[in-house]
Amino acid sequence: MTPESIPLSLFAPQLPIAGALAGALLAGMFSKHRSGTLARIIGAAGVLAGSALLFWGPPYADTWLVRAGGIARAWQLFFHLAALAFLASHRAQGEQPVALLLAALLGMDLIAAANDLLALYLGLELMSLPTYLLVYGLKPQKRSLEAAVKYFFAGGAASGMFLFGLSIWYAGTGTTALAPGGMLDRGPSSAASLAFVLMGSAALFKVGAFPFHFWLPDVYEASEPELGAFMSTAVKAAGFLMLMLLSIGHSSFDPIGNSGALFPNLGAWLPVVSVATMTVGNLLALRQTNLRRLLGYSSIAHVGTLLSAVWVWQAGGHGEELATIWFYLGATLFMNTGAFLFLKLAGISQVSELRGYGSRAPWAAAFFALMLLSLGGIPPTSGFLAKFYVVWDLLKGGGIGLAAAVAFNSLLGLGYYLNLIRVMALEEPGQRTPAEPPRPDAGTALVLLCCAAAATVGFLPEAREWLFTLMTL
Amino acid sequence: MNSSLLVWGASGSLFILGAAFLVLRRQLIAMIIGLELMINAANLNIVAYAARRGDAAGLAAAMLVIAAAAAEAVVGLSLILNLLREEGAAESDRIRELSG
Amino acid sequence: MLLTWLWLAPAAAMLVVWALPSRRLSRAAALAVSAGVLAYSLWLLAPYAAGEGLLRLEESGRAGPLGIRYHLAVDGIALPLCWLTALLSALSIAASWKADVPNAFWASFLGLESALMGVFLSRDLFYFFIFWDMALVPMFFIIGLWGSEGRRKAALKFALYTFLGSLSLLIGLAALATFHHGATGVWTWDMGELTRTPVMGRAAIWIYAALALGFAVKIPVFPLHNWLPDAHTEAPAAGSVMLAGSMLKMGLFGFLRILLPVFPELSAAALPFLGGLGVVNILYGAFCAMAQSDLKRLVAFTSVSHLGFCLVGIFSLTAAGIAGGSLQMLNHGLSTGGLFLLVGMLYERAHRRGLSDFGALASRTPVFAFFFCFILLSSIGLPGLNGFVGEMLSLAGMAQVSRLLAALGLLGAVLAAAWGLPAFQAVFWAPPGTDSVSDKIADLDLRERAILWVLLVLILWIGLYPRPLLELMEPAVSALAQR
Amino acid sequence: MMNACAVGTLFFAPVSALLLGFFVFRPYWPRKTHWPMLASCAAVTVASIHLAVQIHDGRIAGGSWELTAYRWACAGSWRVDFGVLVDGLSISVLGMVSLVSTLIHVYAAGYMAEDPSFCRFFLYFHFFFLSMVGLLVSNNYLQMYVFWEGVGLASYLLIGFWYEKEAARAAAWKAFLTNRIGDVAFMLAVFLLLRGLGTARFSEVFQRLPELSSSTLTAAAFLLFCGAAAKSAQFPLHVWLPDAMEGPTPVSALMHAATMVTAGVFLLARSMPILEEVPGVLAAAALIGLLTSLGAAAIGAMKRDLKRVLAYSTISQLGLMVLAIGTGNLFGAVFQLITHGFFKALLFLCAGSVIYSMHDSLSGATTVTVDDAGGLSKQLPVTSGAFLIAALALSGIPPLAGFFSKDAILEGVFATGSKALSVLALLAAAGSSFYIFRLLFLTFLGDRPEQRGPRAHAHEPGFRMKVPVLALAVFSAAAGSLGEPIAKVLGKEAPHLSLVVSAAGFAFAGLGILAAYWATMLRPGFDWAWRRAQPELERILDDDFGWQSFTAALARGVLGFAKLLAGPWERKTWDAFTEALADTFVGLGEGLSFFSRGALNDYLWWMILGAAALASTVVLCF
């Protein structure tokens, strides 16, 4: 059967981004010294145009390879937002980082739109390869090279496993479509489960879940903070999207109706992985002295919470759980970006440098404290609201044990978040504390303002409903 | 049905060999070879079943995978090249600085 | 919108005060705002206090899909606590007038006041929890940043204990809402509706335990009280006034507002256990207070003892007991708040808190001695002053249920004399010791006397004529009472 | 109408005097604060006498006059109202109290003239007077309890008036703590009444007594007795009264002799209807009263300090009153209470004059022991004369007041018919005359070789101190005639002096006087000699048969337990617990960090192993 042709208009939102990619590279050729800013402007314009096209672009379409509109559009909007944050706060010289970022963005858009396992694999590769280079490219030195190599090999092994899983799936069902049926009609066979686990492991690797999390702290420690922010928000979200796509399959993937699971056996082991991830993330974060590494482990801990939210979504499948996941990812986007950018602007990487920073730069310290409170889940902040929704869904979905684990882990989390606030506020400034407060420029200041505003959304319990209606316009 | 057994055997052993390379060898170049082995194992599977079903799309998929594998190798080798320039030897125990 | 202003005004003022350029300006603004809120609360709520009109003063927004609704209301028990919070905030800001502290100090007091008002006013469990946790952050900074030597450890311990409690509270509240949905199919977090459907079965016991643990950490009840002495001793004077004055009441308020109405049978079943714990609180607090050598730590332990009386009163589940318990919450705020102010004034002058550091102050500073003696007597529970009314009503209430607990509680009154008078004598009557600093201590100036006279008048008024307050609480109390 | 304003003055006079004193006199005329106080005492005395006459002549219906002032508190089912009740019992005691207070206020003005904090003394003094008046005329148990503790507070402040002295501070705290124990028992009784009847008003409680269950009634009666025993220094809780002598003498005279300590007996008299329902408590009261009386008499006979002897004498007389209550003889107890108020106050004032006059020669010591004084009658004729009259009254020699009131008590005791009780009562009477005359002889009459102190060159105290002494002497003598009016006011039948009882009483009193004369005047060195002969007997008697040291040990034990609880328990166990909790998690973190030590191969190994583990569980389980 020859697949019917796919109109190019389906890719309308992605075209401006590709154009910007090319434009950025061209800009590099012409003006050597100002290529960085020029590239960033072109890139930002491309991404904004892409996002605009997302809303007024092609109507809902569902071809064999890709989809457009509906849920795909929501995820793509999220990725564009994260990319914009990176472009606004990134300051390197050359134009390659902008180009690599746009390529990774295209990969993520492809994952969001994938209707076929192969498209998913391509999206994964297109997202991962530029990110490996970005880790080294932004600040070429021994440490970032080491991180890039580690990231490459771990990513390579994961995509190898994904591919092998795909081949088993193809061998069994003869198609690579993300639709249930085929092998499943004869009941959940062991081959289908093996295929799913291998593909799922790749997703878990991208997200940084327990058995596959070892690379994450090293990469976050050595790479530039704005890349760390990008990875801990956009790349993590793409990983979760892959996991959800695999676990549900596409056809019944409309968020309103309940799900016909492609791989029903996800429910058994996901809670185990989620609790393990949470606990490992928090326990290891307790002992960290490097702030970026600490934020890495804290991101792992948040992944654990999100995994339990995915488990509830996968078991129940109503729209509310999806909105919880979106809200949590949204909150993480603002929290992590704020935290990482603070580290970049303040030029702080060690906890000892943070000692007494409150008296040196009160407003910056207050901002970082707000971010930490949000990461820790203290009530007036959006972090609390996100965690509250997860606990709420878990209790509704019957996951009492998981809810208790989430609550206990947030207490563990407070151990290191509050400790940072204590060090920053209560200690006397040490000799390594930076003297003058940070001076953000316009772009970064805008991003920081958004992070601060988003952090205080804890007052509005309806925030999740508004986000859901916005995303499914 | 022994032919499908043969295919599964080949691709499975290739995959495990690749994984072994990746985990056991200390030289980074050997590990990249391990990666390629894993990808080729998957490719073998796809091509074998595409041929049996006479499904051209499957073969097209195999071509696509080879292209992706090539891209991946390029990126990997460029990183290792930089490491060689910096360290003089692409050994995995040269990159143990980040830890904890 | 009338009630919203009670917590919104201090919150907004917090940001303004924090951003003001000069410290003197922000201090003056803080005092103006707190005094304004006090006046506003008196003006707004006084006319309603008389008749039944209290519950008419309600505000509620639209219920969201989660059943969460922004719903504020005030009743007989919440009203005095709102007044108390407003009063103590104004007094504590006035009392720390001479402290050289940044704007953030004044801002955190206003933030604390707004969070406490929110807790006492909100009828929706979700907003109750939000304000509950919001109250902890400013107090963490007040203790941590402007406390005395051991402030860091005290602040961390305070944060750890209270967050443990609030997490257990979060789980309990969410489980309660889910359980209620299971029983009635309706999503609601409103206290009114939750009380209408009885919560039965084994799960209810777990929910009750989680909520009780959450509240018990805050009261604090005996096994979970370890954070209190450090937090009180290390906090600045004004901080410990607010901490003892109104923050400790959040836990008791939670019992009164959530546990008693929603779980009547379970509360009755838990009466011997929690009433017993109340008595243990009374005796343990008194014994520890007796053995203290640091004046402020002594007053901290007396808070444990006083709140034991509140607990005994509330868990007698009799009309008299609950009225006594809620009145004792108010009295404890006044008398222990007053004591902390006095100790603060002493610390401000001599930077020392030990009992042996002073001596013969009665002759050097007679006015200070008069105020200290008066407020100490109210704290001991001398009849004719406010402490006695609360304790007597609580224990009389408990006597209707179990005479043993009432008798043991009364033993606390004897121990009160055992810790109160020696402390008074050591500081005011005993001759100055070797390293005493009594000669450096000047008598109270006009500002301090004004503050203390306010407390004095209130203490005497409640002691001699508590009827209007008790009639104010009557409707809310008789609703809760089961006997 | 007149009655209302008379009752009004009972409250407003002291309150206005106090406010005037605190806000006006303290800042501007501290040396003049005694004037408003004297005025208010006089006003209260006139008002109480007027009311007494009204009640005595029957112009007030039913002999009692009650007014509810305002509702103090309402909680649940019961209401507590504050109000005033003036009946025979309260007005007779109030009469004595106001009269004695007025005289002692005058005396104190002279005695405390040079004291630097003269104003503070009178403020405390008059606060006591207000509380005492309030206590006597309140119409319900709760209001009585409020003034009851007010009196306790006043005694704390006044005993510790000279707070520089360590002994005064310890005595003040001890007094307040012991009283608090009694008050707690009293409060528990009030709770039981509230629980049973929902009200605490005397009239209502006494009417609805049958509604109470017998167990509640016994418990309430017993607890009321404990409360009274603490305030009136009966056996187990009497330890505070001897130490209370540290306070200035006018304080000892007014509070720890005439008025405050009698509040306990007044409470028992007021709640007579309850006690009559429970015969067991009455018997216990009689026993404890007698025991206290005899014990105190024995200890008093041995003490050397002037005021300590009088303190034990007070305890002994209070024992007699409680004995009277125990035998159901309300009239006897009240009559003794009133007469005792007069002559005991007189004794203390005379002792005060002695101390005041020898003050400068004794280098500031605030008390005089028998050894320092001797043969003072020549220098202080008036004081020794008054002391003689008071001593005669105390021991119950006929024409004086003591005879009639003690005889009334003995009548009651003989009426019970138990021989042992009567004999012991007579013995107590003999004992009281023995120790008072021993004191008289040692201090005023013979001078003795072993006298250590300077040959006293005391001089008669000033006019302001002499007048009250003389007035009280007259009252001590004349008070005997008050028997009939008190009986009429109380509504009891008039006392009849049976010849047998009065003769026995008089005989035993005379015996006591002769024994005292024999032990002191005839064999001058005896008092000193036997002390060295039996040192351990003196130690036991000095230590209240070992009871003082027992209570001190108990207090130390409680404090030790508190220190143990606050120190190691609070510090070690709880702090250690929280630290250990935190360390375990950090330790776990250290352990886990072993796996992520930076080696790429290890990372990949754990990844592949994890994937394989997941795959195997999923494939095998499903």
Side-chain angles (χ1 to χ4, degrees), chain A residues 363 366-367 370 380 452-453 456 459, chain C residues 7-22 25-27 29-30 33 102-114 134 138:
Chain A
W363 285 100
F367 173 80
L370 182 62
T456 56
F459 267 91
Chain C
W7 70 267
L8 196 59
M14 173 178 81
L15 300 176
V16 168
V17 160
W18 199 352
L20 286 176
S22 92
L25 196 62
S26 70
R27 177 180 63 180
V33 168
N103 299 0
F105 179 83
W106 312 107
S108 34
F109 270 94
L110 290 176
L112 187 61
E113 178 179 7
S114 101
M134 258 173 64

Side-chain angles (χ1 to χ4, degrees), chain D residues 245-463:
Chain D
M245 293 306 124
E246 291 298 328
T249 310
V251 170
S252 316
L254 178 62
M255 297 173 62
H256 301 127
T259 51
M260 176 179 148
V261 283
T262 54
V265 177
F266 175 78
L267 171 66
L268 292 179
R270 178 63 88 193
S271 20
M272 209 51 183
I274 297 182
L275 299 180
E276 271 151 5
E277 297 281 324
V278 185
V281 171
L282 283 180
L287 187 66
I288 290 186
L290 194 61
L291 197 67
T292 319
S293 183
L294 284 173
I299 301 169
M302 181 282 305
K303 282 287 181 198
R304 293 180 16 260
D305 173 351
L306 219 61
K307 289 174 75 176
R308 287 289 188 289
V309 171
L310 295 179
Y312 279 101
S313 140
T314 309
I315 297 176
S316 168
Q317 297 303 315
L318 287 168
L320 283 182
M321 295 179 212
V322 169
L323 170 65
I325 295 273
T327 53
N329 174 1
L330 180 67
F331 164 71
V334 172
F335 192 22
Q336 169 72 0
L337 186 145
I338 289 169
T339 53
H340 172 267
F342 288 122
F343 55 73
K344 187 50 63 62
L346 179 57
L347 285 171
F348 265 101
L349 291 192
C350 299
S353 306
V354 165
I355 294 170
Y356 178 79
S357 58
M358 296 172 64
H359 185 62
D360 34 26
S361 65
L362 290 172
S363 67
T366 59
T367 181
V368 165
T369 63
V370 175
D371 308 333
D372 307 336
L376 285 176
S377 56
K378 285 182 282 305
Q379 288 98 344
L380 304 168
V382 172
T383 313
S384 44
F387 197 93
L388 177 62
I389 293 173
L392 288 171
L394 172 65
S395 41
I397 304 303
L400 297 165
F403 169 75
F404 296 99
S405 57
K406 188 162 290 183
D407 183 76
I409 293 177
L410 290 179
E411 297 283 350
V413 169
F414 276 65
T416 59
S418 87
K419 289 286 170 282
L421 209 62
S422 323
V423 168
L424 287 175
L426 285 172
L427 238 142
S432 58
S433 58
F434 173 78
Y435 58 66
I436 197 65
F437 271 90
R438 166 183 166 273
L439 193 63
L440 181 91
F441 296 143
L442 287 180
T443 322
F444 288 99
L445 294 181
D447 33 337
R448 289 155 282 102
E450 77 284 358
Q451 204 172 334
R452 280 185 297 95
R455 183 67 62 200
H457 44 73
H459 49 77
E460 200 64 75
F463 169 76

Side-chain angles (χ1 to χ4, degrees), chain C residues 157 161 223 225-226 284 287 297 319 380-381 383 388 392 399-400 413-414 417 421 425 429 431 463-464 466-467, chain D residues 70-72 76 78 145 149 156 163 169 173 176 180 184 187-188 192 195 562 569-571 574-575 578-579:
Chain C
K157 189 187 279 190
Y161 267 89
H225 68 287
N226 188 264
Y284 184 82
F287 274 120
R297 204 169 169 79
I380 286 178
F388 167 72
M392 193 275 292
Q400 290 174 7
V414 177
L421 298 178
Q425 286 179 219
W429 281 3
L464 291 179
R467 188 174 117 197
Chain D
Y70 67 98
R71 163 154 309 161
W72 180 61
W78 40 271
Y145 181 77
E149 284 236 1
Y156 170 75
Y163 48 76
R169 291 197 301 274
W173 181 54
F176 191 83
R180 207 56 192 294
V184 158
M187 197 65 224
L188 205 50
L192 295 180
R195 165 183 160 146
W569 163 261
E570 182 77 12
R571 288 260 180 289
W574 284 110
D575 293 356
T578 32
E579 258 80 25

Side-chain angles (χ1 to χ4, degrees), chain C residues 114-332:
Chain C
S114 101
L116 287 168
M117 283 292 187
V119 166
F120 294 134
L121 288 175
S122 59
R123 301 284 293 184
D124 186 286
L125 292 184
F126 180 79
Y127 282 95
F128 175 83
F129 182 77
I130 290 249
F131 285 117
W132 174 282
D133 253 9
M134 258 173 64
L136 315 183
V137 177
M139 184 43 87
F140 172 77
F141 284 116
I142 289 174
I143 297 177
L145 286 178
W146 301 292
S148 41
E149 306 76 24
R151 59 181 182 283
R152 291 187 199 85
K153 187 170 176 307
L156 255 184
K157 189 187 279 190
F158 168 75
L160 187 69
Y161 267 89
T162 22
F163 280 126
L164 173 75
S166 64
L167 272 177
S168 136
L169 193 59
L170 170 65
I171 290 282
L173 292 180
L176 177 63
T178 349
F179 188 90
H180 183 265
H181 171 70
T184 59
V186 165
W187 282 119
T188 174
W189 288 68
D190 188 79
M191 293 177 191
E193 273 105 64
L194 284 176
T195 48
R196 264 188 278 285
T197 49
V199 185
M200 302 304 297
R202 224 174 53 74
I205 296 171
W206 282 105
I207 297 173
Y208 190 88
L211 289 175
L213 176 70
F215 294 135
V217 168
K218 200 68 194 122
I219 289 178
V221 181
F222 166 64
L224 305 163
H225 68 287
N226 188 264
W227 60 275
L228 182 93
D230 294 342
H232 274 229
T233 323
E234 303 307 340
S240 31
V241 167
M242 286 308 289
L243 184 58
S246 29
M247 273 195 80
L248 296 188
K249 309 310 179 326
M250 287 156 64
L252 287 163
F253 187 72
F255 270 112
L256 278 171
R257 181 49 60 81
I258 296 173
L259 286 185
L260 255 53
V262 175
F263 303 89
E265 313 79 22
L266 279 179
S267 304
L271 181 139
F273 177 67
L274 281 171
L277 267 181
V279 169
V280 166
N281 247 35
I282 296 174
L283 300 180
Y284 184 82
F287 274 120
C288 285
M290 246 194 282
Q292 293 306 327
S293 63
D294 176 329
L295 194 54
K296 206 164 185 190
R297 204 169 169 79
L298 183 143
V299 178
F301 274 110
T302 60
S303 308
V304 174
S305 187
H306 283 145
L307 290 164
F309 279 109
C310 301
L311 210 58
V312 162
I314 287 171
F315 265 91
S316 66
L317 297 179
T318 55
I322 295 177
S326 15
L327 187 63
Q328 179 66 359
M329 282 204 275
L330 198 64
N331 299 340
H332 171 263

Side-chain angles (χ1 to χ4, degrees), chain A residues 378-396:
Chain A
I378 310 295
T381 61
S382 58
F384 157 74
L385 205 56
K387 199 158 282 188
F388 171 73
Y389 288 144
V390 170
V391 167
W392 167 257
D393 288 348
L394 281 173
L395 286 174
K396 204 161 52 173

